């Protein structure tokens, strides 16, 4: 048992290092449909084909006009990133997000972040809460890696969202910011109890008793999973599920009221109860080894998007529209990558499955430059040099075009281009840990990009995101 737990600990550490719990063997070359080889010498001819279809991104107001036309009336726009620490990815996603809000009426920005931390930002941008500045509203992002959301680039978007909301007419719906991750077990449990303490003391007592099952694991929820696997304690699965059902009933009762008014705090408490339920399963099943924690995490993210859309639909005059910020490995359709061949799914796959005509998936790539990342999980982030992309990768292909920054629309693209980019080729993925010494194994996977994404934005030489000190 000790050996098994040690292996499970190593698995969890590796998962957290990728900040996404990527499937085992993530960097290895796949088999079957994804076993094709690419000749780097072909990059020149294919690069010319890409160059012909590329829309330059140069900081002009119309850079993303083709993307806006592609979005049309879609309700979900998923904006990826090839790393968790690149300035240009944040900057360009912010530019796109501002246009989606102003021109398309998007009313929610969802992050690959924990719900309580993002909800604090939402309170700020909507003119609620205790924070006086955008920078203060990011103070909840204290968990590693802080730089992922506690940075100048995202702070500037939060400030813009506040200004945009303040300019709206009285009573108009305001854009919110939300998190879709599941790591915040303890803080989400606290938030459920705090909400119920304000609204129903008896219900708060029941929640406090149920969540008392997690006592002793507040700061180390992964230890909870380890102790359950070792049979040192019983699991808290039943208690977490019971509390979520009670919050579901509260939300259903609110929805049934003819005189209901918007109640973001109730929905937030309901969502925090979902986080506790799914986080309990996540930390426990990492050590049980019977289930894909990657699938569980991304299923939770998709559940969150659907639940948020349903809530905003109830309150709004029309259909809600949501823009999502997360890593490419979550946003692109997993079925078109190595991970899909092994039965792994992700947010992009699930949203296409349930909202095919209403979702647009956008990937990001870079060739070289710098990134903010850590050498190991939990270490302070630092600026690291990004090696030039491998010759057989999409990034190297895009570099061959000679166009430094561009948007490429792949949905509905000319047949030859779509077919060429639909062939398996390497795609780079850098999480919060960057390991240049093992880059091929640690940071590359094969994908069919024209089928994985509807569009891609290539930024050839990039620099590191700037953290808030």
């Amino acid at each position: 048992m000790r050996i098994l737990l040690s292996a499970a600990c190593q698995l969890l550490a590796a998962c957290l290092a990728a900040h996404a719990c990527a499937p085992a063997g993530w960097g290895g070359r796949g088999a079957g449909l994804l076993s094709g080889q690419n000749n780097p010498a072909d990059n020149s001819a294919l690069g010319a084909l890409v160059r012909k279809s590329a829309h330059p991104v140069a900081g002009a107001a119309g850079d993303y006009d083709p993307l806006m036309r592609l979005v049309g009336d879609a309700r979900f726009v998923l904006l990826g990133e090839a790393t968790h620490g690149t300035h240009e990815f944040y900057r360009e996603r912010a530019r796109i997000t501002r246009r989606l809000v102003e021109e398309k009426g998007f009313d929610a920005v969802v992050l690959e972040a924990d719900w309580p931390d993002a909800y604090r930002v939402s309170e700020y941008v909507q003119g609620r809460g205790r924070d006086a500045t955008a920078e203060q509203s990011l103070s909840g992002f204290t968990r590693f890696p802080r730089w992922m959301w506690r940075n100048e680039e995202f702070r500037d978007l939060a400030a813009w969202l506040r200004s945009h909301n303040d300019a709206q007419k009285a009573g108009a719906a305001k854009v919110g910011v939300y998190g879709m991750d599941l790591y915040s077990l303890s803080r989400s449990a606290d938030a459920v109890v705090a909400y119920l303490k304000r609204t129903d003391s008896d219900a708060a007592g029941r929640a406090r008793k149920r969540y008392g099952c997690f006592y002793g694991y507040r700061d180390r929820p992964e230890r909870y999973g380890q102790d359950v696997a070792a049979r040192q304690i019983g699991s808290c699965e039943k208690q977490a599920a019971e509390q979520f059902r009670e919050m579901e009933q509260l939300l259903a009762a609110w929805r049934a009221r003819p005189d209901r008014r918007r109640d973001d705090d109730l929905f937030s408490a309901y969502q925090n109860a979902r986080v506790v339920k799914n986080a309990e399963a996540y930390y426990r099943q990492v050590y049980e080894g019977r289930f894909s924690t990657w699938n569980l995490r991304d299923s939770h993210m998709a559940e969150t998007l659907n639940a948020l859309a349903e809530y905003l639909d109830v309150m709004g005059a029309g259909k809600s529209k949501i823009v999502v910020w997360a890593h490419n490995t979550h946003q692109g359709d997993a079925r078109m990558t190595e991970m899909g061949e092994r039965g792994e799914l992700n947010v992009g796959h699930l949203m296409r499955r349930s909202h095919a005509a209403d979702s647009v998936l956008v990937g990001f790539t870079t060739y070289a430059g710098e990134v903010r990342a850590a050498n190991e999980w939990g270490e302070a982030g630092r600026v690291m040099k990004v090696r030039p992309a491998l010759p057989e990768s999409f990034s190297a292909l895009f570099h061959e075009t000679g166009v430094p920054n561009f948007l490429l629309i792949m949905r509905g693209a000319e047949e030859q281009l779509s077919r060429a980019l639909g062939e398996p080729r390497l795609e780079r993925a850098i999480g919060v840990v960057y390991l240049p010494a093992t880059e091929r194994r640690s940071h590359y996977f094969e994908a069919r990009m024209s089928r994985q994404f509807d569009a891609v934005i290539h930024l050839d030489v990039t620099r590191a995101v700037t953290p808030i000190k």
Side-chain angles (χ1 to χ4, degrees):
M1 177 63 72
R2 184 175 301 169
I3 294 174
L4 290 175
L5 288 177
S6 177
C9 288
Q10 292 173 12
L11 170 62
L12 181 59
C15 286
L16 295 175
H19 197 60
C21 271
W26 176 253
R29 185 171 294 278
L33 291 175
L34 295 175
S35 61
Q37 300 289 331
N38 290 288
N39 181 0
D42 295 339
N43 279 3
S44 181
L46 184 51
L49 186 62
V50 172
R51 181 168 60 247
K52 182 179 178 181
S53 301
H55 304 275
V57 171
D63 282 349
Y64 294 113
D65 286 353
L67 181 59
M68 294 300 113
R69 290 193 291 272
L70 176 65
V71 170
D73 295 324
R75 297 185 61 195
F76 301 94
V77 175
L78 280 57
L79 301 178
E81 59 181 358
T83 85
H84 277 320
T86 296
H87 163 79
E88 286 80 2
F89 294 158
Y90 285 82
R91 182 192 68 195
E92 297 307 310
R93 288 188 298 184
R95 292 181 64 201
I96 295 167
T97 297
R98 290 196 294 267
R99 290 196 62 176
L100 290 173
V101 169
E102 290 184 319
E103 301 172 26
K104 300 288 187 179
F106 275 63
D107 50 3
V109 181
V110 176
L111 313 174
E112 184 187 338
D114 292 329
W115 181 274
D117 304 339
Y119 191 68
R120 179 171 174 177
V121 181
S122 195
E123 289 182 312
Y124 168 74
V125 302
Q126 293 181 338
R128 305 184 293 127
R130 62 188 182 278
D131 296 309
T133 67
E135 188 163 315
Q136 288 177 3
S137 75
L138 306 184
S139 299
F141 296 108
T142 57
R143 182 176 63 80
F144 174 86
R146 293 186 183 184
W147 72 84
M148 187 170 163
W149 299 114
R150 201 168 176 174
N151 58 60
E152 294 181 0
E153 293 81 356
F154 184 65
R155 175 201 62 193
D156 293 345
L157 177 64
W160 181 87
L161 288 170
R162 174 63 182 266
S163 297
H164 171 83
N165 283 337
D166 286 348
Q168 303 308 300
K169 295 179 181 178
K174 296 184 177 183
V175 182
V177 178
Y178 308 94
M180 62 177 183
D181 226 324
L182 50 53
Y183 293 125
S184 58
L185 193 155
S186 297
R187 285 175 295 124
S188 287
D190 289 346
V192 173
V193 173
Y195 170 79
L196 293 174
K197 189 175 180 180
R198 297 193 303 270
T199 59
D200 185 335
S201 59
D202 290 340
R206 290 192 296 273
R208 191 179 296 109
K209 182 177 181 180
R210 287 165 180 153
Y211 289 156
C213 179
F214 295 106
Y215 181 78
Y217 301 100
R218 180 177 187 83
D219 298 323
R220 292 192 62 190
E222 67 279 2
R223 184 62 183 267
Y224 159 78
Q226 184 178 353
D227 286 353
V228 171
R231 296 191 176 91
Q232 294 181 10
I233 62 168
S235 85
C236 302
E237 180 180 10
K238 178 182 177 181
Q239 293 89 328
E242 286 176 347
Q243 188 57 46
F244 179 63
R245 283 194 295 271
E246 183 166 337
M247 299 309 297
E248 277 187 312
Q249 293 166 2
L250 282 177
L251 191 67
W254 165 84
R255 188 179 289 115
R257 292 177 55 180
D259 61 339
R260 66 172 178 265
R261 295 182 179 181
R262 181 165 180 148
D263 194 340
D264 288 357
D265 288 343
L266 168 60
F267 179 78
S268 180
Y270 159 76
Q271 178 58 29
N272 274 308
R274 182 199 308 281
V275 171
V276 176
K277 177 178 71 74
N278 290 340
E280 183 280 329
Y282 176 87
Y283 287 113
R284 171 169 46 82
Q285 291 173 5
V286 162
Y287 292 93
E288 289 180 350
R290 295 184 293 104
F291 188 84
S292 169
T293 51
W294 172 276
N295 283 5
L296 192 156
R297 182 174 175 232
D298 274 55
S299 294
H300 168 83
M301 291 180 180
E303 285 176 12
T304 298
L305 293 178
N306 286 318
L308 177 62
E310 182 180 356
Y311 169 73
L312 294 176
D313 285 353
V314 169
M315 297 314 306
K319 294 284 189 178
S320 59
K321 294 185 176 183
I322 299 173
V323 55
V324 186
W325 289 31
H327 200 280
N328 281 351
T329 51
H330 297 293
Q331 306 284 62
D333 190 331
R335 292 171 294 185
M336 303 305 159
T337 69
E338 287 184 42
M339 61 190 292
E341 277 207 328
R342 291 188 294 270
E344 305 287 343
L345 50 79
N346 68 355
V347 178
H349 166 194
L350 294 171
M351 297 310 289
R352 268 188 177 171
R353 191 171 69 184
S354 58
H355 304 280
D358 266 339
S359 61
V360 175
L361 281 51
V362 183
F364 282 72
T365 62
T366 186
Y367 177 72
E370 296 176 336
V371 67
R372 184 168 297 277
N375 290 315
E376 293 182 11
W377 177 263
E379 288 189 356
R382 64 184 182 88
V383 176
M384 304 175 73
K385 185 176 181 179
V386 176
R387 292 184 173 184
L390 294 178
E392 61 270 35
S393 68
F394 283 105
S395 294
L397 168 64
F398 296 155
H399 175 72
E400 287 284 338
T401 65
V403 183
N405 305 311
F406 63 84
L407 162 69
L408 187 65
I409 303 295
M410 295 183 291
R411 184 199 291 180
E414 183 264 331
E415 183 179 354
Q416 185 180 0
L417 176 65
S418 180
R419 185 172 62 251
L421 296 181
E423 292 299 316
R425 188 177 286 263
L426 292 181
E427 184 178 321
R428 180 157 57 186
I430 298 174
V432 296
V433 171
Y434 182 38
L435 305 170
T438 58
E439 178 151 341
R440 171 62 182 86
R441 185 176 74 250
S442 302
H443 299 294
Y444 282 91
F445 63 100
E446 279 193 323
R448 299 176 180 268
M449 186 168 280
S450 65
R451 305 182 190 183
Q452 180 191 13
F453 293 106
D454 298 306
V456 64
I457 296 167
H458 180 71
L459 305 166
D460 204 54
V461 180
T462 51
R463 63 184 177 89
V465 72
T466 307
I468 294 174
K469 295 183 180 180

